Amino acid sequence: MTVGPRETGGRSRPGRRAVLGAGGLAALAAGTAVLTTADARTPGDDREAAEGGAVAFHGPHQAGILTRRQSHAHLAALDLADPAGAPGAGAGRAGAAALLRTWSAAAARMTRGEPPADGGADTGVALGAGPAALTVTFGLGPGFFDRAGLTEARPEALAPLPAFPDDALDPARGGGDLFVQVAADDPLVALHALRTLQRLARGAASTRWVMSGFTRSAGGTHRNLMGQLDGTANPAPATDPAQRARILVTGSGSGSAGSGVPGWLEGGSYVVVRRIRMLLDHWEGLPAQHREQAVGRRVADGAPLTGGAERTPADLDAARPDGVPVIAANAHIRLAAPRSNAGATMLRRGWSYYDGLRPDGTPDAGLLFVAWQADPRTGFLPVQHRLARGDALARYVVHEASALFVVPRGAAEGEYVGQALLEA
C-alpha cells in the first residue's frame, strides 16, 4: 500500500513506488534531511552562554556555528550593489570590505547587548533586552568572489549544488552574494539585529531573501512541526575532535579541504540552507505507527524502533523473525546515517517556520534546514543523494529553496570577518 499522497503546487499525486520495509512505507525519489537538525543542548562552542547571556562575536571561528541553537532566527541573503557609474562591474573589493567592516563592528556591539554605533539611526527596539545570546554569522556566496574581483580565490567546494529529484526551488529564495544568520533567545533582539544589518547595507547591498524561524527556548532536544524530536543524532564537536574537523575547515585534511586551506578559511565552514515545506495536512492524517516507521523513531521519546532511549544508537541490522528490517529500508534515519553515506557528517541547526496559509488553504510551514560542514562534497551532497533514492519522508515534504555559502574564519578583536581574504 501507499501512505498518503505527495502534493506539489497545491495538487495531490499518488505514490510512484512499491512498498518497502516494515509497515509498508512507500519510497519516493526525492531527498530531505528533515529530522536530523541540531540538538539545542549539544555543546561545542567555547563562547557558549547561558540562556539570555552574551556570546562573543570575536574568536577563531564565527559564533552561530557550534553555538547552541537559540529560539529565534532570521536567515538572509543580500546581493552586492554595483558601484556608481559602473553598472555591471560589481561592487569591487573596497566596497565589500567596507560593508563587512561595518557589519562586524555593529555585530560585535549588539552581541554584547549594546546599540550599534550607526549615527543615531537606531530606534531603540532592543534597548533593555540584554544580549539574549545573540549571534551574527556571515557567509559568502559564489557571486561574491566575482563581484569583489576575487574570482580566483573562490573555493572549489563552493560549486553550485546539483539539482535533486522532485526539487521545486524558487530562484527568488536561493543564492545570494552574502549570507547572514541572526539568532537570539529574544525575538526583538533577533529582528533588531537583522534590521540593523539591512540598514547599514543600504547603498552597498540589497536584500535578496529573508526566512525566519523559531523553536523552543528551553534546553533539550526540540520537536519539529512533524512532532518528531529533532537533532538526536547530531555530532558532538566539543567532545570529538574528529567530528569537529568535519564541521570546521582545517589544514589537517580531516575533511576534503586538504593542506592547502587559505588563511581566511582556516576555522571557517560551509553552510547549506534549504527551505523544506512540510505537507502537514497529509502527515497529520497518517496513523502514528506509519509516521514512526517513516522516520525510524518513536514519537513519544525519540528512541529508535530497535529499542532503548532517545540517545540509544539505532541497530540498523535488527530484523523481525520474518527477516524484515525493524527500521525500514527507506526509513529516514537509516538513509541519513553516516554508516549509509561513507561517514558523511553535518552539524544541523534548523528552525521551524510558519508563514500562514498558501492560496490552496494548506499550511505554509516546515523547516529551515541549516547544515554546517567542512566540505559540502563530503557532507551534504552524499547524504542528499542517498535520501533522493527513496527517503520515506520525501512524499510529505517539498524543497522550495536552496543555497550554499562559504563562511570565513572568525575575526579577532580589531578585525572584521573576511579581512584576510579582502586585504590579502
Side-chain angles (χ1 to χ4, degrees):
M1 73 176 180
T2 57
V3 186
R6 160 82 186 266
E7 169 264 322
T8 301
R11 300 188 301 274
S12 296
R13 64 179 180 180
R16 297 177 297 171
R17 293 192 178 181
V19 173
L20 285 178
L25 295 170
L28 289 181
T32 178
V34 172
L35 295 177
T36 46
T37 53
D39 177 357
R41 73 184 177 193
T42 300
D45 199 323
D46 51 9
R47 291 167 285 168
E48 193 63 77
E51 186 171 347
V55 180
F57 175 77
H58 297 107
H61 56 268
Q62 294 193 57
I65 302 175
L66 305 184
T67 317
R68 67 167 177 83
R69 183 175 51 172
Q70 302 98 315
S71 57
H72 301 274
H74 300 288
L75 313 174
L78 297 91
D79 290 328
L80 290 167
D82 294 325
R93 187 180 300 192
L99 176 59
L100 284 167
R101 184 185 301 110
T102 299
W103 270 0
S104 295
R109 290 180 61 88
M110 291 188 291
T111 55
R112 296 193 297 264
E114 302 171 4
D118 59 355
D122 187 70
T123 60
V125 170
L127 285 178
L134 172 68
T135 58
V136 180
T137 316
F138 301 125
L140 313 175
F144 174 90
F145 293 85
D146 294 332
R147 297 173 73 81
L150 293 165
T151 301
E152 293 185 358
R154 184 169 55 224
E156 292 183 5
L158 196 58
L161 295 174
F164 295 99
D166 288 346
D167 271 1
L169 304 182
D170 177 1
R173 284 174 163 166
D177 296 338
L178 291 159
F179 171 67
V180 176
Q181 175 189 273
V182 172
D185 288 330
D186 185 303
L188 281 178
V189 169
L191 183 57
H192 169 257
L194 173 66
R195 291 289 302 144
T196 296
L197 296 174
Q198 290 175 312
R199 183 174 66 251
L200 293 173
R202 287 174 185 166
S206 59
T207 301
R208 182 181 179 92
W209 52 259
V210 176
M211 295 183 282
S212 302
F214 60 88
T215 188
R216 292 179 56 209
S217 59
T221 314
H222 299 172
R223 294 187 186 273
N224 60 32
L225 297 186
M226 283 181 159
Q228 297 289 331
L229 287 174
D230 199 312
T232 298
N234 229 20
T239 57
D240 189 336
Q243 291 186 349
R244 189 182 182 95
R246 291 178 179 271
I247 298 161
L248 300 178
V249 179
T250 69
S252 65
S254 303
S256 292
S259 59
V261 176
W264 65 268
L265 187 51
E266 179 79 29
S269 189
Y270 290 84
V271 61
V272 172
V273 179
R274 306 272 281 182
R275 185 182 193 267
I276 305 173
R277 179 163 56 91
M278 297 174 174
L279 308 184
L280 295 178
D281 287 348
H282 298 324
W283 179 256
E284 292 163 359
L286 295 176
Q289 180 184 12
H290 287 200
R291 296 196 297 265
E292 290 182 332
Q293 290 167 346
V295 177
R297 293 186 179 276
R298 297 196 298 252
V299 172
D301 58 5
L305 297 183
T306 48
E310 180 191 351
R311 302 289 172 177
T312 302
D315 183 357
L316 299 180
D317 297 318
R320 302 185 326 203
D322 60 2
V324 175
V326 175
I327 295 176
N330 62 341
H332 182 79
I333 67 169
R334 177 185 293 277
L335 297 184
R339 166 178 160 176
S340 302
N341 299 284
T345 302
M346 295 176 284
L347 180 65
R348 306 158 180 90
R349 301 180 74 243
W351 286 269
S352 296
Y353 73 88
Y354 181 77
D355 292 339
L357 299 179
R358 290 162 49 82
D360 61 2
T362 59
D364 190 1
L367 179 74
L368 302 180
F369 173 81
V370 183
W372 301 87
Q373 62 251 275
D375 191 325
R377 297 169 297 184
T378 56
F380 174 77
L381 286 177
V383 175
Q384 192 67 15
H385 280 304
R386 178 74 170 174
L387 292 170
R389 296 199 295 269
D391 181 15
L393 286 179
R395 62 191 0 236
Y396 305 109
V397 301
V398 180
H399 290 245
E400 295 186 330
S402 180
L404 170 66
F405 302 92
V406 63
V407 177
R409 66 169 175 82
E413 291 280 354
E415 294 182 345
Y416 63 88
V417 171
Q419 180 170 337
L421 167 67
L422 290 160
E423 297 187 10

